[in-house]
Amino acid sequence: MNETAQQIVDKDRQAYLPVFNRYNLVVERGEGPYVFSVDGEKYIDFLGGIAVNVLGHNYKPLVEAIARQAAKVIHISNLYYTRPQADAAAKLVKLSGLDRAFFANSGAEANEGAIKIARKYAHSIDPDKSQIITALDSFHGRTLATLTATGQPKYHKGFEPLPAGFDYVPYNDIDALERMMSDKTCAVMLETIQGEGGVYPPKDDYLKRVRELCDRHGALLILDEIQAGIGRSGKFFAYENYGIKPDIVTLAKGLAGGVPIGAFISTEEVAKTLKPGDHGTTFGGNPLACAAANVVLDTVPEPKFLAHVVEIGAYLKRRLIELQKKYPALITEVRGKGLILGAELSGANKKTGSEIVADCMNRGAIINCTAGKVLRFIPPLIIEKAHVDEVIDVVDAVLEQSL
Ligand SMILES: *Cc1c(COP(=O)(O)O)cnc(C)c1O
């Protein structure tokens, strides 16, 4: 006999470490931009596994590539070459205009590797060149170094002592960054578009000026595109929107369409400071994960695919701005680029952000609230206008009841 949803929830609650505030939904399967509960209820998914399921659920070419690779070899260790890994690395190098790619298993691990390679490079110039500057309200992961890089004290509390050498500046404040930098700055690490912190895109020429400051001080620019990369901004790499190139870029979330993976890509000059033995991973970039990544890397960078993201992202943004105009007391701002969009709540609502998210779910739409007050829309990149309308109708009805 099949377990009921309630039995699954009860079992999980007794065994799984409860670090997530979960919604009362047990997912069975997905199809395109929809997911279905074990009870057969249908939901439109505008969270996409937190910006992961870029090709939607049950995307046949991805499912088939995973099955084909699983039947050949799932894992073999990085002591040997595999075709999927060589292909994926070559594609990332070509797309980024950088020189060397390394695969990890998650975003945090990709950033951890980026921090390590930056430190090793700077050490080769000056052992005191170790300062890493990141932004307030950033999010870079949950390992000790990446949670330290994360400029939000709430993630640090109770885990001290933290790794040394990290300083923080407000995002989009070029003067604060300039004051913080010196020739002891090893790297500036930023999200190209801040995600978790509340969906903040960079202002006008901010990233250009960051690039200039890095060049002036011989510091590396690390861009964390774990959330904003993989086509989400309308370009494959979000930095392509801003006319700059980082020294190191990190990817994860959408890179293999849902199979765990992370990557950092760097220039040869930086990469060559890591010698055999300086870094490594058992699972990272195994043939199964890379076979999945190759499907994403053959699909998302296509001009037609990216044009679709631009068009549908503009449509979703337009519809959100309409909601803002309809509920000016509830929504103060709509911001973002492509399909990483946020609608900031005023705080005057009868309901909190997470209550609004729960109400949307009860009406069949999965969205998210981040930073306590920003409704975040990071759906699969394959959504169509009708899907946008479906979600907007739900959010509209929920906001109407939140007045
Ligand atoms: C999600 C995220 C991470 C962490 O990725 P994990 O796979 O959860 O370790 C790091 N940086 C950004 C910008 C993210 O959105």
Side-chain angles (χ1 to χ4, degrees), residues 50-51 105-111 138-143 146 150 191 193-196 224-228 250 252-253 261 376:
I50 317 184
N105 301 291
S106 66
E109 265 185 76
N111 282 339
S138 59
F139 186 82
H140 297 296
R142 305 280 195 161
T143 62
T146 59
T150 295
E191 288 160 89
I193 299 170
Q194 286 195 328
E196 219 73 25
D224 176 346
E225 298 217 353
I226 288 165
Q227 188 162 152
T250 59
K253 292 200 162 82
I261 195 167
R376 180 172 51 162

Side-chain angles (χ1 to χ4, degrees), residues 44 316 318-328 330-331 343 345 349 351 356-357 359-361 363-365 367 375 377 387-403:
I44 178 119
L316 174 54
R318 181 145 46 88
R319 297 290 331 255
L320 289 170
I321 290 170
E322 278 170 28
L323 284 184
Q324 183 194 359
K325 289 193 175 132
K326 188 167 174 190
Y327 303 104
L330 298 186
I331 298 178
L345 298 170
N349 334 22
K351 291 183 175 154
I356 289 174
V357 169
D359 284 359
C360 286
M361 202 188 82
R363 290 170 182 262
I367 64 163
L375 300 181
F377 301 85
H387 303 125
V388 171
D389 293 340
E390 200 179 330
V391 167
I392 292 290
D393 283 349
V394 170
V395 177
D396 189 349
V398 168
L399 288 177
E400 187 158 20
Q401 302 218 313
S402 315
L403 279 167

Side-chain angles (χ1 to χ4, degrees), residues 37-48:
S37 73
V38 292
D39 299 323
E41 292 151 333
K42 185 179 178 183
Y43 298 83
I44 178 119
D45 178 11
F46 265 40
L47 178 57

Side-chain angles (χ1 to χ4, degrees), residues 21-43:
N21 284 318
R22 282 183 169 157
Y23 293 95
N24 200 17
L25 166 61
V26 185
V27 172
E28 175 84 5
R29 65 186 182 88
E31 189 65 48
Y34 294 99
V35 295
F36 297 85
S37 73
V38 292
D39 299 323
E41 292 151 333
K42 185 179 178 183
Y43 298 83

Side-chain angles (χ1 to χ4, degrees), residues 205-396:
D205 61 346
Y206 176 64
L207 289 175
K208 261 196 182 138
R209 308 237 352 237
V210 172
R211 176 75 269 180
E212 284 163 19
L213 285 176
C214 286
D215 293 342
R216 190 194 305 166
H217 293 289
L220 299 174
L221 176 58
I222 304 173
L223 290 178
D224 176 346
E225 298 217 353
I226 288 165
Q227 188 162 152
I230 319 290
R232 186 158 297 281
S233 72
K235 304 272 190 195
F236 186 79
F237 290 100
Y239 63 74
E240 296 172 61
N241 292 294
Y242 305 104
I244 54 142
K245 216 169 109 181
D247 301 287
I248 305 171
V249 62
T250 59
L251 296 172
K253 292 200 162 82
L255 178 54
V259 175
I261 195 167
F264 66 82
I265 316 163
S266 96
T267 61
E268 181 69 29
E269 189 190 354
V270 176
K272 71 183 183 208
T273 58
L274 282 191
K275 302 285 186 253
D278 283 346
H279 194 57
T281 170
T282 300
F283 286 121
N286 83 10
L288 186 79
C290 285
N294 280 318
V295 176
V296 172
L297 293 172
D298 288 341
T299 308
V300 173
E302 283 296 314
K304 260 179 80 178
F305 190 98
L306 292 173
H308 173 74
V309 176
V310 171
E311 192 192 325
I312 201 77
Y315 182 67
L316 174 54
K317 192 171 190 178
R318 181 145 46 88
R319 297 290 331 255
L320 289 170
I321 290 170
E322 278 170 28
L323 284 184
Q324 183 194 359
K325 289 193 175 132
K326 188 167 174 190
Y327 303 104
L330 298 186
I331 298 178
T332 57
E333 191 180 27
V334 172
R335 47 177 190 260
K337 200 167 185 65
L339 284 174
I340 173 165
L341 296 171
E344 181 154 342
L345 298 170
S346 64
N349 334 22
K350 225 164 52 188
K351 291 183 175 154
T352 64
S354 63
E355 283 166 347
I356 289 174
V357 169
D359 284 359
C360 286
M361 202 188 82
N362 291 331
R363 290 170 182 262
I366 296 175
I367 64 163
N368 173 253
C369 178
T370 194
K373 57 172 189 189
V374 181
L375 300 181
R376 180 172 51 162
F377 301 85
I378 40 178
L381 306 181
I382 47 98
I383 56 161
E384 301 289 345
K385 282 186 171 170
H387 303 125
V388 171
D389 293 340
E390 200 179 330
V391 167
I392 292 290
D393 283 349
V394 170
V395 177
D396 189 349

